[in-house]
Amino acid sequence: MEKRPQLDILLCAPRGFCAGVDRAIQIVELALQKYGAPVYVRHAIVHNKYVVDGLREKGAVFVEELSEIPPGDAPVVFSAHGVPKSVPADARSRNMMFLDATCPLVSKVHVEAQRHFEEGHEIVLIGHHGHPEVVGTMGQLPPGAITLVEDVAGAMAITPRDPAALAYVTQTTLSVDDTSEIVAALQSRFPLIHGPHKEDICYATTNRQQAVKAVAPLVDAMVVVGSPNSSNSLRLVEVAERAGCRVAMLVDRASEIDWSRLEGIRTLGVSAGASAPEKLVDEVIEAFAQRYDIKVEAKVTAVENIAFNVPRQLRPVEVTVAP
Ligand code: SF4
């Protein structure tokens, strides 16, 4: 039998599902159990094709707008990315039952933006134009209250009404390094700008980027498991490239691996975005095991133990037995 090449795989840890994604998926699954199909979901519950397809098979129906949902009693779940305030208001006016799967760490940014607004601050949101989280955060406040800044050039170009009454918040899934450059640009222009008490970029984004940063310089190539619409997965590919990894690729499934780009590699890093299931990481490793003699080692840069509760109406009913 032909001898297969050796491949050392460094598995980034943490990788894959975060607490917000886990909670959002649980909300749809519990809603299906409690209310039966269909359960409508406004926007992809999380940005992962495998997860969305799996929930669709169980009876979830994905829509982009509430107007697509026919009248009836079926509940609607709002995605983990958050929604503008107009969406729950619209659901109420249509007498729809809704469950909010907005990640609590996105809701925290919404609360911050609201607080700044009430304190009379003009708000800069650092984020990506058109991302549903950005649409949701901007939609917490009246038009004009929040200005979106996407990069350092944008930070240098804004002209606030009152530079002394300025605050910033950020999308949760940005590049940690890019964001600190944008914040530094804002602070150099507006030294009085108010920032978050604690970083808006969430723990999961930060930890996954840190792990990739540690592994990328040690390997010939990096495979990130995630969907192309997943902001935090895309950032992991960028982080790997910037940390000196020659080849970094994003794949939804093992079938998408571009083997032609991996010729001659002896070491490989593997990570996964916050919305990518571990099952797909296993699938990718198995695909490498078919072609190489692999040795897998975890590179642990942080340990996570965060979990978020699902909404009260989906929790098991507590039965109190009289003594
Ligand atoms: Fe929440 Fe962060 Fe996960 Fe987004 S990536 S769902 S903000 S924990």
Side-chain angles (χ1 to χ4, degrees):
M1 200 175 106
E2 196 189 331
K3 196 169 175 324
R4 292 184 304 178
Q6 191 82 33
L7 183 68
D8 290 339
I9 297 180
L10 277 181
L11 203 46
C12 300
R15 65 179 172 280
F17 274 12
C18 60
V21 162
D22 194 50
R23 172 180 180 268
I25 296 169
Q26 273 192 62
I27 289 175
V28 179
E29 286 180 339
L30 290 170
L32 281 163
Q33 279 169 28
K34 181 163 179 179
Y35 306 107
V39 166
Y40 290 91
V41 184
R42 187 188 176 278
H43 193 69
I45 184 76
V46 300
H47 284 159
N48 186 271
K49 188 175 176 316
Y50 180 87
V51 170
V52 167
D53 288 348
L55 291 172
R56 193 179 281 123
E57 271 170 31
K58 292 180 185 170
V61 176
F62 291 87
V63 298
E64 284 306 311
E65 295 302 337
L66 300 185
S67 57
E68 295 167 46
I69 302 173
D73 296 334
V76 57
V77 180
F78 302 150
S79 80
H81 315 94
V83 289
K85 272 196 173 151
S86 57
V87 172
D90 188 17
R92 277 187 206 101
S93 75
R94 292 170 191 266
N95 282 327
M96 286 175 171
M97 191 225 301
F98 62 85
L99 295 157
D100 192 355
T102 302
C103 175
L105 300 181
V106 173
S107 300
K108 170 185 150 275
V109 178
H110 292 178
V111 170
E112 258 169 47
Q114 183 74 43
R115 179 175 54 81
H116 286 307
F117 182 68
E118 282 162 12
E119 287 170 0
H121 297 137
E122 186 179 340
I123 299 155
V124 173
L125 167 62
I126 303 172
H128 298 296
H129 177 77
H131 189 280
E133 185 184 325
V134 164
V135 174
T137 301
M138 294 193 78
Q140 298 305 304
L141 296 172
I146 300 182
T147 304
L148 180 65
V149 160
E150 294 193 87
D151 49 25
V152 171
M156 298 312 282
I158 54 162
T159 48
R161 288 185 293 275
D162 176 3
L166 198 60
Y168 74 87
V169 295
T170 84
Q171 194 179 326
T172 57
T173 51
L174 299 177
S175 149
V176 172
D177 293 340
D178 285 354
T179 307
S180 57
E181 281 176 24
I182 299 168
V183 169
L186 287 171
Q187 284 169 335
S188 74
R189 288 190 66 205
F190 313 110
L192 298 177
I193 193 166
H194 299 264
H197 290 309
K198 193 174 170 295
E199 273 298 315
D200 288 336
I201 297 178
C202 75
Y203 79 96
T205 300
T206 307
N207 289 348
R208 280 149 194 68
Q209 287 180 19
Q210 247 170 23
V212 165
K213 220 177 197 178
V215 166
L218 311 175
V219 292
D220 299 325
M222 175 79 71
V223 171
V224 175
V225 182
S227 288
N229 57 345
S230 159
S231 172
N232 79 86
S233 304
L234 290 168
R235 303 292 82 78
L236 294 180
V237 175
E238 280 172 14
V239 167
E241 285 167 345
R242 288 184 196 171
C245 190
R246 240 180 341 108
V247 180
M249 66 174 83
L250 180 70
V251 298
D252 236 326
R253 301 292 299 257
S255 55
E256 289 183 3
I257 298 170
D258 181 353
W259 297 102
S260 68
R261 293 181 66 201
L262 300 173
E263 268 168 35
I265 60 163
R266 303 177 71 105
T267 50
L268 174 77
V270 174
S271 182
S275 44
E278 188 64 9
K279 196 169 189 262
L280 302 187
V281 174
D282 295 343
E283 184 188 273
V284 162
I285 291 173
E286 181 50 37
F288 278 94
Q290 300 285 326
R291 293 172 178 245
Y292 298 86
D293 269 337
I294 63 166
K295 195 173 96 214
V296 183
E297 191 192 322
K299 176 88 178 164
V300 183
T301 50
V303 175
E304 295 175 346
N305 50 13
I306 293 179
F308 297 130
N309 280 332
V310 296
R312 195 170 297 277
Q313 63 264 54
L314 294 176
R315 291 184 212 157
V317 181
E318 282 170 28
V319 180
T320 316
V321 181

